[in-house]
Amino acid sequence: MNYASHGGVAAHTIGQLHQYLPELRPVRIDRPRPIRDWTAQQLGVHPAIHGADAPETDGTFVLPHYLERDHDRRLRDRLSAADRNGQAVLVLVRGRSCTGKTRTAFEAVRVCLTDWHLVFPKNAERLLALLDADALAPRTVLWLNETQNFLAGPDGEQAAAALHSRLETAGPLVIVGTLWPEYHRALTTTPQTGQGQDRHPSTRALLDQAVLVNVPDRFPTDSRTALSVHRDPSLALAADTSTDGMITQTLAAGPELVDYYEQAVEPNGPYGRAVITAAMDARRLGHTSPLPAALLKAAARDYLTHQQRVAAPATWFTHALVYARETVKGVAAALEPVAHPDGMGALPDIYRLNDYLDQHARTARRYAFPPDSFWTAVRDHAASTVDLTKLAEHARQRGRQHIEADLYRQAASAGDTSALFQLVRLREWAGDAEGVERLCRQAADAGVAPALGSLARLRDYAGDAEGAERFARQAAEAGHPDALSEQALRRWDAGDAEAAERLYRQAADAGVTSALFQLARLRWNAGDTEGSERFAWQAAEAGHTFAVQEMARRREQTGNVESAERLYRQAADAGDSFALGGLARLRWNAGDTEGAERFAWQAAEAGDTFALNALAQRREQTGNVESAERFARQAAEAGHPDALRAMALRREWAGDVESAERLARQAADAGDTSTLYVLARGREQLGDAEAAERLYRQAANAGNSFALGALARLREEAGNVEGAERLYRQAADAKDRSALGALARLREEAGDTEGAERFARRAADAGDTSALPMLARLREEAGNAEGAERLYRQAADAGNITVLEDLARLRDEAGDTEGAERLRSFGLEADGSPAMPWN
């Protein structure tokens, strides 16, 4: 890719947005007005298609008859309860694109909260102004259609915190939001260690309070055949033309819009399709802001054939936009205008992709990696640095470190100093120690505190302990005190306990509360019981209650039971559920069975079922088997089947298979089908296929979808491929993702390469990222290196970065050691070839 040097996100693009998004002081506050004064169109309900016999009137807003479903009753019951009980409640109506979320919410508030008022802020800034002004009086609905627009942007965390605070005050008040499942998952998922900064802690805390009402994709059969459907011309047409009950999508012209996009016709259709495809790729790969026309124009080039580019008239982009903005069935267009946030009309040269097309693209284009022109366009014309960094993350997930680096450099030059730190990581990937240190210093000079921590780590690797500590202290002073803890751990690992304690003390003084727990451990190991307990209590007061529990466990191990029990009780009082298990153990050892059970039940209710399991096992060990089983059944009936499962497995290991199966069936009756499945696996491994099949069937009948896949595997091993495939299909229908991968393998072995790839992609779509690489390895074993490489690339394009090593290995085996090394060090270019070295 030939990249030119640019100083930042195109100034004219951002300046253009700022021109139409002026900073107003004070921000205008939206005022509530009676619900009866609001129309469906004003609140964001999609207009519907006209019926077959209805006159086509341009601009007419069609609102068909509303059909209630089960979710409507649940939502209305919740709103009525809020009205009766004076509650402040957040209700999220969740569903995929064009499933009727907004219409569901509109009809519910209109029916249940008739005499209330409603306020609809148009963006996060206006929402914050509304909350700051305390303008939400009781008996008001706060309408947050497309809730992600309020919570996912730069002001999202502040808005979430303000909404959470409002929910804690007096009602009645109802906050109604609509949200796609994908957005809900993104806003509520806690990042795992190493996955980067937690961007949505306040939003997650807010959404944890929400009452969720899920809107299904499809209408049930009885609704589709109801007479009321056929009395409404729009519903009648939708019912007649929808597949699988997807009536609301048809109402909003979703399928027709997809067809309009995919079957683009000459002369302007191909150019319109290129622009729409660029918009699809931008949205699905992280550009959540409205799309500047300049980005779409620059991106379109490589989505066109050579002949189409040669034949393009000077006005091709104007015609492309006309095509992309054509409304289908008078309802929806691929590219929609963006309303002026603080006035009348639309923002010029700014567009948003239709939601249904966006959702379609996330499946239809999952295995398509955008061409060079797309990445150059988003680099030069992205609406914000937030969009740039999200696009860079998606490039990384697909092995395009070259593109990732280019986007981060652009974000950094536009003022996003955190992007410098991402460039540090990329230089580490490429093995450029000198470049890493240079970028770390540049990021540190720009005020990125974690970069100082990286410099400390680099100095430590180089054997410069003094320099490492100096940078760690600087990082702490700049707001990143974890660098001190990291250096303390390194000193501890190197055997320098004195330096480790000194650094942990500095980290604790800088606010790293976990360092207090480490200090407690160090003091204990040094024989300073009093000092250890002092630090443990400080850690507990800072929220690390397990520190006191560990001190209690150490006292218990040294025989000081009285002191241990005192500490366990204090830890339990501070909210440590695992300390309750420790108390149960101490009470049992003291002969206090009743007290032990009491603490075990308390621990289980708090989420720790280990003590219940231990008590059941101890009863067994003392020969009181009947009492042990009774106790385990009681636990299972109370929602804690772990004790029954553990007991069944112990009986199995002891050779009492009859008792093991009986207990496993009891566990299944209590909702735990995994025990039957585990017993079946054990019988299978012992060669008892008949018993394995019987238990797998019991598990499958009890609802364990994985058991169907296991039964299919038994059929396959017995040579009954047809029976195996039938069972794998049943397992796949029951949401066993691994069954799709097995079906891909069976189809491959049967010579049906097309069917094999279809199932592998379905598995990948369902979240099984191993299916495509598995199929690629089968192609390798068959000697089809070219087919294997194509599948590995598909997996990379879909976001599985682990296959880079497989692609490099294929290069090695083909004698292309240079290409293999470039893949390992620099990743892929946009076209899937090994990337050239980049700076």
Side-chain angles (χ1 to χ4, degrees), residues 395-711:
R396 175 184 59 79
Q397 292 166 6
R398 289 155 177 79
R400 269 64 176 198
Q401 286 80 22
H402 187 182
I403 294 171
E404 178 192 7
D406 203 53
L407 295 176
Y408 277 131
R409 276 197 296 269
Q410 190 79 328
S413 64
D416 184 353
T417 53
S418 65
L420 284 169
F421 196 62
Q422 297 298 333
L423 289 170
V424 169
R425 177 181 49 76
L426 284 164
R427 298 319 304 162
E428 286 180 323
W429 174 288
D432 179 8
E434 183 181 339
V436 168
E437 184 153 348
R438 183 179 67 252
L439 281 168
C440 278
R441 290 182 182 277
Q442 186 181 347
D445 291 343
V448 183
L452 291 162
S454 293
L455 281 171
R457 188 165 56 252
L458 288 171
R459 290 293 83 214
D460 190 68
Y461 290 154
D464 179 9
E466 184 179 340
E469 286 193 27
R470 183 174 66 254
F471 281 121
R473 284 194 295 273
Q474 290 177 24
E477 290 166 3
H480 184 59
D482 287 337
L484 288 166
S485 285
E486 183 181 346
Q487 287 303 311
L489 180 59
R490 292 181 181 279
R491 295 294 172 274
W492 175 257
D493 289 341
D496 189 350
E498 183 178 344
E501 182 163 341
R502 183 182 72 253
L503 286 163
Y504 274 131
R505 286 179 182 273
Q506 292 174 16
D509 291 341
V512 182
T513 55
S514 61
L516 294 165
F517 179 54
Q518 300 302 331
L519 283 168
R521 284 183 165 176
L522 287 174
R523 288 293 81 211
W524 180 275
N525 292 335
D528 179 8
T529 305
E530 183 180 345
S532 175
E533 188 168 322
R534 184 174 66 253
F535 282 123
W537 276 115
Q538 290 178 29
E541 289 168 1
H544 297 276
T545 56
F546 58 84
V548 177
Q549 184 208 146
E550 175 146 331
M551 293 303 105
R553 185 176 56 78
R554 291 175 184 268
R555 297 287 173 85
E556 185 181 353
Q557 290 171 344
T558 58
N560 191 346
V561 176
E562 183 178 346
S563 176
E565 182 162 344
R566 174 174 54 82
L567 287 171
Y568 276 134
R569 287 182 181 275
Q570 291 169 339
D573 290 342
D576 184 353
S577 63
F578 292 96
L580 292 164
L583 285 168
R585 183 174 60 253
L586 290 181
R587 289 293 83 214
W588 178 274
N589 293 338
D592 179 8
T593 305
E594 183 179 344
E597 288 189 12
R598 184 173 66 253
F599 284 123
W601 283 111
Q602 289 178 25
E605 292 303 317
D608 172 22
T609 60
F610 181 80
L612 285 176
N613 301 349
L615 287 183
Q617 185 175 4
R618 290 181 182 198
R619 291 188 181 193
E620 273 188 291
Q621 291 169 343
T622 58
N624 197 346
V625 176
E626 185 179 342
S627 174
E629 287 194 19
R630 185 170 61 251
F631 184 74
R633 280 196 302 274
Q634 289 173 356
E637 289 165 2
H640 310 295
D642 295 2
L644 266 178
R645 181 190 307 122
M647 189 175 293
L649 295 178
R650 285 195 297 272
R651 299 288 171 82
E652 180 78 358
W653 295 331
D656 185 358
V657 295
E658 185 178 341
S659 293
E661 290 188 21
R662 175 170 47 79
L663 291 166
R665 286 192 294 272
Q666 291 176 15
D669 291 340
D672 170 31
T673 62
S674 65
T675 309
L676 282 167
Y677 180 80
V678 171
L679 290 184
R681 286 295 301 270
R683 303 289 171 83
E684 184 182 355
Q685 290 166 2
L686 290 172
D688 189 351
E690 184 179 345
E693 178 162 342
R694 175 170 46 78
L695 289 167
Y696 278 136
R697 285 206 170 276
Q698 290 179 22
N701 292 337
N704 189 307
S705 62
F706 296 102
L708 285 169
L711 278 170

Side-chain angles (χ1 to χ4, degrees), residues 684 689 692-693 696 709-720 724 728:
E684 184 182 355
E693 178 162 342
Y696 278 136
L711 278 170
R713 191 182 64 253
L714 287 178
R715 290 282 183 280
E716 190 179 351
E717 291 169 357
N720 183 356
Y728 278 133

Side-chain angles (χ1 to χ4, degrees), residues 401 426-427 429-431 819-827 835 838:
Q401 286 80 22
L426 284 164
R427 298 319 304 162
W429 174 288
E821 185 56 35
R822 278 165 37 205
L823 275 168
R824 292 186 175 102
S825 298
F826 305 109
W838 44 270

Side-chain angles (χ1 to χ4, degrees), residues 149-410:
N149 293 335
F150 299 89
L151 301 181
D155 295 328
E157 280 295 275
Q158 187 180 354
L163 287 168
H164 202 165
S165 296
R166 182 60 185 87
L167 284 174
E168 294 171 352
T169 60
L173 171 78
V174 173
I175 304 172
V176 176
T178 63
L179 202 60
W180 286 13
E182 295 92 328
Y183 288 126
H184 186 260
R185 189 179 305 113
L187 293 171
T188 56
T189 299
T190 304
Q192 297 178 1
T193 304
Q195 286 188 336
Q197 179 183 0
D198 186 356
R199 296 179 177 178
H200 305 294
S202 297
T203 301
R204 189 165 56 253
L206 170 69
L207 297 184
D208 283 346
Q209 307 299 311
V211 175
L212 289 175
V213 176
N214 293 315
V215 179
D217 290 355
R218 295 166 173 80
F219 272 67
T221 302
D222 56 352
S223 292
R224 284 178 255 168
T225 56
L227 290 176
S228 57
V229 171
H230 301 289
R231 285 198 297 267
D232 184 287
S234 296
L235 285 175
L237 179 60
D240 291 340
T241 58
S242 296
T243 57
D244 298 328
M246 300 179 76
I247 291 175
T248 55
Q249 291 88 337
T250 300
L251 285 171
E256 288 84 354
L257 189 57
V258 170
D259 184 68
Y260 178 80
Y261 157 72
E262 292 181 342
Q263 305 302 320
V265 295
E266 300 283 358
N268 300 322
Y271 305 105
R273 190 177 195 276
V275 167
I276 296 167
T277 307
M280 286 175 160
D281 285 345
R283 276 291 299 272
R284 73 184 177 90
L285 295 180
H287 195 295
T288 56
S289 300
L291 294 159
L295 185 158
L296 299 173
K297 183 177 182 180
R301 183 194 69 203
D302 291 346
Y303 291 96
L304 295 164
T305 67
H306 174 76
Q307 186 58 41
Q308 287 167 343
R309 289 167 59 189
V310 167
T315 55
W316 73 268
F317 185 61
T318 300
H319 296 315
L321 284 179
V322 169
Y323 188 91
R325 295 181 60 189
E326 179 75 24
T327 56
V328 175
K329 294 290 184 182
V331 173
L335 293 183
E336 300 168 342
V338 177
H340 197 295
D342 209 49
M344 303 299 290
L347 293 174
D349 297 326
I350 301 293
Y351 303 98
R352 65 180 295 275
L353 180 68
N354 175 274
D355 282 349
Y356 190 74
L357 274 187
D358 178 17
Q359 191 158 289
H360 169 75
R362 292 170 191 266
T363 299
R365 291 192 58 76
R366 177 168 184 161
Y367 304 99
F369 192 81
D372 278 350
S373 63
F374 171 86
W375 296 104
T376 304
V378 296
R379 181 197 65 192
D380 295 345
H381 302 288
S384 72
T385 58
V386 173
D387 295 310
L388 276 172
T389 56
K390 287 181 178 178
L391 286 159
E393 289 171 12
H394 280 278
R396 175 184 59 79
Q397 292 166 6
R398 289 155 177 79
R400 269 64 176 198
Q401 286 80 22
H402 187 182
I403 294 171
E404 178 192 7
D406 203 53
L407 295 176
Y408 277 131
R409 276 197 296 269
Q410 190 79 328

